Amino acid sequence: MKLIYAIVRYDNEDEVISALTRSHFSITKLSTTGGFLKKGNTTLMIGTEDERVQEAIDIIKKECGNRQKITINMPYISGSAMINCATMPTTVEVGGATIFVINVDYYEKI
């Protein structure tokens, strides 16, 4: 038995959940926030048999698409007196999904 944690963009959650549900995966949805961009994410917890892990990952990949690079302006303080505040363009990747697969030592459904 495995537990899959899939962190997906809020924009993709409906498609991912629908596709996984159609394939008879049980899902628990958690609303989460990314630490860097402070944007809404959804973390999905999916418990499944070992042999179905790749199937779940393939569905998530298909529905989330590829990661994209975007440029944002991040504030920074310049100058030794620290009185000048400016912005600096920073390129980050967004989209796609971050997936963790964990071994489950014990499982019981009550």
Side-chain angles (χ1 to χ4, degrees):
M1 189 79 174
K2 302 285 188 191
L3 178 62
I4 303 169
Y5 287 102
I7 303 166
V8 301
R9 285 181 63 184
Y10 176 77
D11 303 357
N12 298 118
E13 81 173 59
D14 289 337
E15 293 84 5
V16 174
I17 290 171
S18 294
L20 288 167
T21 302
R22 279 192 305 275
S23 293
H24 307 288
F25 286 98
S26 296
I27 305 157
T28 298
K29 175 182 123 174
L30 305 171
S31 294
T32 53
T33 303
F36 182 66
L37 295 177
K38 311 266 190 285
K39 296 290 183 190
N41 293 321
T42 298
T43 299
L44 304 175
M45 295 175 21
I46 307 155
T48 190
E49 299 81 12
D50 292 14
E51 59 272 5
R52 293 197 70 204
V53 169
Q54 192 58 53
E55 179 186 354
I57 291 172
D58 290 342
I59 291 169
I60 295 165
K61 283 181 182 179
K62 179 178 181 272
E63 297 301 328
C64 287
N66 295 322
R67 297 184 70 75
Q68 304 165 9
K69 291 187 179 194
I70 63 166
T71 301
I72 58 171
N73 290 320
M74 294 293 294
Y76 75 98
I77 298 173
S78 64
S80 59
M82 294 177 44
I83 55 173
N84 298 324
C85 187
T87 59
M88 179 174 68
T90 304
T91 301
V92 296
E93 288 188 1
V94 298
T98 301
I99 300 170
F100 300 91
V101 180
I102 314 285
N103 288 322
V104 175
D105 291 332
Y106 177 79
Y107 166 77
E108 181 177 354
K109 194 168 191 173
I110 302 174

